[in-house]
Amino acid sequence: MLKVTFRFEHGESKEIFAAENENLLELARKANVAIDAPCSGNGSCGKCRVRLLSGELDSPKPRQISKEDYAGGWRLACLSRVVSDVEIEVPDIASAYKSRMKTADLSTGEEVRIFNDAKQSVEDAGIAFINDFLSCTIALDAPTLDDTMPDNERLTRALMEELEVEFVDIPHCAMVELPGALRAANWNVRCMGRRTGDRFTLMALAPADDASPICGVAIDIGTTTVTAVLVNLETGELLSRGSAGNGQIRYGADVINRIIESTRPGGRKRLQDAIVKETLQPLIRTMCAEANVAAERVLCVTVAGNTTMNHLFVGVDADPVRTEPYIPAFFHWDGLTARDVKLPVNPEARVILAPNIGSYVGGDITAGALMSMIWNHDEMSLFIDLGTNGEIVFGNRDFLMSCACSAGPAFEGGDISCGMRATDGAIEACTIDRETMEPTFRIIGGADQKPVGLCGSGIIDVIAELFRCGIISAKGQFVREGARVTQDASGFDCYVLATAEESVSGRPITINVVDIDNFIRAKGAIFSAICTLLKSLDMDVSCIERMYVAGGIGSGINMRNTVRIGMFPDLDLDRFHYIGNSSLAGAYAMLMSDQARDKVEELAQSMTYVELSTTPGYMDEFMAACFLPHTNAELFPSAME
Amino acid sequence: MLKVTFRFEHGESKEIFAAENENLLELARKANVAIDAPCSGNGSCGKCRVRLLSGELDSPKPRQISKEDYAGGWRLACLSRVVSDVEIEVPDIASAYKSRMKTADLSTGEEVRIFNDAKQSVEDAGIAFINDFLSCTIALDAPTLDDTMPDNERLTRALMEELEVEFVDIPHCAMVELPGALRAANWNVRCMGRRTGDRFTLMALAPADDASPICGVAIDIGTTTVTAVLVNLETGELLSRGSAGNGQIRYGADVINRIIESTRPGGRKRLQDAIVKETLQPLIRTMCAEANVAAERVLCVTVAGNTTMNHLFVGVDADPVRTEPYIPAFFHWDGLTARDVKLPVNPEARVILAPNIGSYVGGDITAGALMSMIWNHDEMSLFIDLGTNGEIVFGNRDFLMSCACSAGPAFEGGDISCGMRATDGAIEACTIDRETMEPTFRIIGGADQKPVGLCGSGIIDVIAELFRCGIISAKGQFVREGARVTQDASGFDCYVLATAEESVSGRPITINVVDIDNFIRAKGAIFSAICTLLKSLDMDVSCIERMYVAGGIGSGINMRNTVRIGMFPDLDLDRFHYIGNSSLAGAYAMLMSDQARDKVEELAQSMTYVELSTTPGYMDEFMAACFLPHTNAELFPSAME
C-alpha cells in the first residue's frame, strides 16, 4: 500500500492508503477531501489543481497547467495516478466551492430587507403567516396513591382540554422524555408540538418556565450552494442564517453528472451523504449553536430544491429523471420526517418538500414563484432563477408557464478558470477604462481586500466591459492589444484582472477565451429559453412588463450589463427587480404559513411545464444567442448605443 | 491494566482489560459474558459461580461454596475483585438462563394444539380473526412522453381505485424502493401494507408474481424468558417459533433489581439493549431466516409483557413504577413503530403493546386474560399466570378483578441452587418412593438423557413428594434420615436427586433447605394472593368454579401436587386447566385480529386492579401460607389424606 498525505493551506493534513495506480481524485473523495471537479473528473475543467510536494505521480501535463506550474509540481488530480508515497498540497483556492460554511450577520441589511419585503408582499396578498406549531403550558395534578393515572393519560387529558383537541399523539421521542420531564418540572410543563385538525402531536417537553423558542429550518438546496435560515416558528424572527457549498459538487457540477454518479454502486448513498452528512448536518448544527437552540426544538423543516436535488436528498433513485420519458419518483410527497433523512432536529419534525412540477423544474421554482408574486399581478411578468440551472416562469394571475435550461455553473463562478462563489474576496463588480483598459473592482469583504477570484456578477461585468471597450468581439475573441491582454498559462488569450502580485493566491486572476465562451453559452441558454417560452405563447420579449431576477448571483448584479451582453432582454431598467434568494424565501414562507404551503401546491398544479429540449426552434434560438449581445443586434438597441 | 480471560466450556474465550480491584461480575457484564446473577450481585443467591484457572482474585469463601470447591478454584463472581491477570472458567451450567435461543419444531403437537384451541375459543366468542394488513397486485400503465405522471402519483391513483381508499401514504422506506421496484416489475407490482379506514399505507413492494407471505411477529417478553412466533398475517399460519432467555437477567432476576439498575448512569440504554439487541433482534432474525421471510415483509409486531418489561423495552424510565405512588408512563400507548425500538422488521411496522392496567399487572395479563376466556363465562373463574411475578385475574362475564404478587423466579428454576429453565435436561416431573426414598424422574428431551437441573414443575413435584414421604416437615425442614438426605457443599441439609456421577455437570443435583424455603415463599405468595383477592370480594376459594393456569412452567405441571403443597386451592382436579403461554397466545390474537385488540383494550379498561401490598391482611395471609400445605390444614383436605 502507498501512503497519500493531503496537506491544506491552513496547516491540517489527512492521510489515506492507496493501491498503486489509484486515481488521486478518487482517493481525495474517499478521504473526504474536497477538491473541485465540476466536470466530474474527465480532465476538461482544470479545477482540480493540486501540488505535488514529494513523491511521484503518474500525471501528464494538461493544457490547463503551464510549463512553469507543471515544473513547480502543479497537477490535475483527476489525471494523476499514485505510484509512490506522496504528499499533496490542496490549495484553498481549489476548494472555493468546498463545503465551507458561512453564517451571516443578520443585523446587516440588504438580504434581510429583501426577505422581509417578500414576506410582506405575500402577506399583503392575503396569505396569513399562521402555522400549526404551538407551545402551551399545562399544570397537572401530581399523582397520588388515590390518583394513579399513568403519565401519558394524565397529560393527554389535560392537553385535550387545553387545546380543545380530540386526540393527542405522543410519539416515541416524546414518550422517552415524559416521566423525567413531568417530574423534573414538578408536573408543571411546557408542551411543544403540532396541532392539525382535532389532533395534537407532542414533540418536545420542558418545565413551564422555559421560554426558549420553538423553531423551524428553511433550506434552499441549490446544485452548487445551500443556504438556510433558522426561524422562530411563533414569531417568524430569523434566528440565524448560514450557507455552504453543496457537498455533492465533487461528484460533478451539474445534476446530470451527479445522477450518473448516483447510479454507480453505493452511489445513491454517497450522493445523499454528501448533501445530508457533509452539508446539511453541520449547517443546521452551526445555526442552532449560534442561536443557542436545542436540536429537538426544531419542529419543522422546509426544503426547496430542484427535482434532482430533492430526489438525491431523500435518497430516492433520480435516474428516471434523466432518461426518457423523464419521470421523477414524485412531484408532491408528504411522507417525510427528519429522522428518515437524519437531519439533526426533532426526529418527528416533518420535512416538507416544495413540490416539483417537472423533471427540470422543481421545488426551488415553485417556492420561488410564490415569492415573485407574479401570480398576483395583472401585468405579464417573467420570473427567472439564475442557478446552475436557469428556470423561468412567465405569466400573470391568469396563467403560468415554466421551463428550464441548463446554464451550467458559470453564474456561481463555476466553469470559469478564476471563478468562485460570491464570498469574501470575490470580484463582484468591475468597470474597465475604455482608454487605458485598466480595471476597477468592487470586492466582497471590503476595498482593502486582495481579490481571490471572480463571482457571477463580476463575470457579467467583466465581459460586458471587455465588449464595451472593444477588447473582445461579438464572438468573444480578443481583438484589441494592450498591457492587460496576454496569454495565460494554458496559452489561451486572456485579460489580466489582477497580476500575481495583486492576487491572494500569488497567481494572476485572468479571464480567457474559454471562460468567455463558456459564459456566452450560459447567457445564451438563458436568453434563448426566455424567447422560446414566449414564442410558444406567440409573444416576444416586448410583452414582459416586469422581470424578477432571483438567485445566489447576488444583489450586486448590474442589470444594464446583463442587457449589454444579451443575457436578459432589452427592457427599461426599471422593469427589472432583483428579489434575492426567492427559493429560500419561499421555503421560509412555507415554514411559517400553512396557507403559503397550500398556495405553492396550487401554483405547482397550475403551472404548465414546457420541455425546451423537445420544443422546435430552441436550438436555433440558442445558437443565435451565442453572440454578444446577439446575432440579431436589433433585439438590443440599448446595448448598441 | 490487567487482562481477564473468560473461558467457556465449549472452548471459546473472551478477553477484557480491567483496572485493579474491578469487580468480576461487572467485568463479565461489560464483556457481554452471561453469568447468572438473579440477586443482581449482592452475594446472596450463589448463582454466579465461576472457576479461577490462573492468576489471583480477591474473593472470600462464601457459604454457597464448599471448602473443597473453594480450594478447587470456585468463586462467586460478584464477590471477586481482580488483582492480577486472570483466566476464569465460566461453566455452562451457570448460564442456564443465558440468552440461548431455541426455535421450536412446529410439527410437534402440544404447544401448537394449546395455541390453536385458544384461538378457536376466541373465535367462537365472536371475535373475528381479521386484520388491517393486505397485499394486492396492481397493473400500471408505463409512463410515456405524453403520460409523465410521477411514480408516486401513478401508484397512488391506482391504489385508490383498487382499494377504494381516499388516501395513500407512502412512507420513506417505501418511497426509496418505489422507482426501482416499479421498473423492475415492469409496472406490474404487488403492494403490501395496511388499510385503516379510508387510508392505505404502503409498506413493501414486489413484482406482481411474488407470492411470499406478509407476516407479523407476536412476542411475550417475560422477566425470565422471551418467546415469540412468526405468523402469516393473511392466513394466521405459524411460520416459526422461538424462545430465549431475557438478556436482562444479568441485571437481576426480578423487575425491581432491573429497574434499580436502569436508574444508574447509562442504565436505561443497557436494559433496553439487553432485551432488544441481545434478545429480540437475534430471535426475530432467526425466526425470519428459518421461515425464509425478508425483514421488510414483517408488517406488524405485537408485544405482551409486564409493565416493567414494557417500559424497559421501549426505553422509557420505569423508576416511577417502583416508587410510591407507583405511576407508569403509560398503560395504553399507540405511538410505537419498529424503528423506534430498532426491531429488525419493516421500519414502519407498528409495534402494538398489550395494555397495562397497573404498575404490576401488565400487557402479559391483559393479553392472557383474553385467551383465558374467563370474560366469556358465567362461572366464577380464576386465571393465574405463573411467571417471575404471579398475576391473577378473577371474575366472570360481569366483572374482572386482578392483582399481582412477587413470586420470584422459582417457578422458572431461579433462586433454586440446581434450578434451570424448562429446556433439555431439566427434571420436569418426579416421584419419590415412600419406602426407599429413591426418586424417579421425567427429563425433558428424553429418558436416556442425564439430568442437568430442576425446572419449575419438577421443583413442585420434588417438594410435594418430599413432604408426602415425610422427608421434610410442614416448615420445609428435613425430618427423616436416609441415604439421599445429606448436606450439600454449603453445609445445608439437602436431598440428592442425582449424584455427581448421574448428572451432566459432574456435580450432584440437590435440593436444600434454602431452596425449599425459597420455594415455599413463592408458593405462599401465590396462594395468599388468591385468598386476599377473593376476600376483598367477601368470597373464598370455594367460589372458584374454574381455574386457568398459564405460564412457562410447562404442561408437565402436576395439579395434584400444586394442591398438596398448598400452592393452589384444594379444588376438584377437573376444575384446573393448563392453558400454556396465554400471554404469547394473546399477542398472537392481537396480531391477527383487530377485534381481539379492541377486546383486550376493553378488558384492560374493565379490570379492577387490587394493590396487594396496601391491602390489609395480605401479610398475615402470606405468613400463614408459608407452610406445607398451610398453617390452616383444613383448607387442604385432599392434601391431608
Side-chain angles (χ1 to χ4, degrees), chain A residues 160-175:
Chain A
M160 283 165 68
E161 192 173 324
E162 172 72 22
L163 300 176
E164 296 176 356
V165 292
E166 256 186 273
F167 305 98
V168 173
D169 291 329
I170 303 185
H172 184 252
C173 69
M175 181 59 93

Side-chain angles (χ1 to χ4, degrees), chain B residues 106 213-218 228-233 236-242 284 286-294 297-298 300 345 584 588 591:
Chain B
L106 289 171
I214 57 173
C215 297
V217 168
V229 284
L230 177 73
V231 176
N232 180 323
L233 272 177
E237 185 193 353
L238 297 190
L239 301 176
S240 57
R241 185 187 188 291
I284 293 172
T286 304
M287 290 196 304
C288 285
E290 217 163 76
N292 199 19
V293 165
R297 292 298 170 87
V298 179
C300 189
V345 301
L584 181 63
Y588 168 75
L591 191 62

Side-chain angles (χ1 to χ4, degrees), chain A residues 282-299:
Chain A
L283 187 61
I284 293 172
R285 285 199 188 102
T286 304
M287 289 197 303
C288 284
E290 216 164 78
N292 199 22
V293 165
E296 72 269 15
R297 293 296 171 88
V298 178
L299 307 187

Side-chain angles (χ1 to χ4, degrees), chain B residues 432-438 466 469-473 477-487 493-496:
Chain B
I432 297 178
D433 186 287
R434 197 195 286 252
E435 297 304 311
T436 65
M437 296 168 61
E438 285 299 305
L466 289 174
C469 299
I471 301 171
I472 58 172
S473 70
Q477 300 295 324
F478 282 88
V479 290
R480 186 174 162 192
E481 292 185 351
R484 289 197 172 255
V485 177
T486 175
Q487 290 193 326
D493 290 343
C494 72
Y495 175 83
V496 178

Side-chain angles (χ1 to χ4, degrees), chain A residues 88-107:
Chain A
I88 301 292
E89 181 182 297
V90 180
D92 268 5
I93 190 81
S95 51
Y97 292 93
K98 184 187 138 189
S99 191
R100 207 191 315 176
M101 222 157 26
K102 230 192 132 196
T103 51
D105 180 358
L106 289 172
S107 62

Side-chain angles (χ1 to χ4, degrees), chain A residues 332-349:
Chain A
H332 171 92
W333 177 39
D334 243 350
L336 197 65
T337 62
R339 65 171 171 178
D340 288 328
V341 280
K342 301 193 176 59
L343 295 184
V345 301
N346 191 297
E348 291 293 325

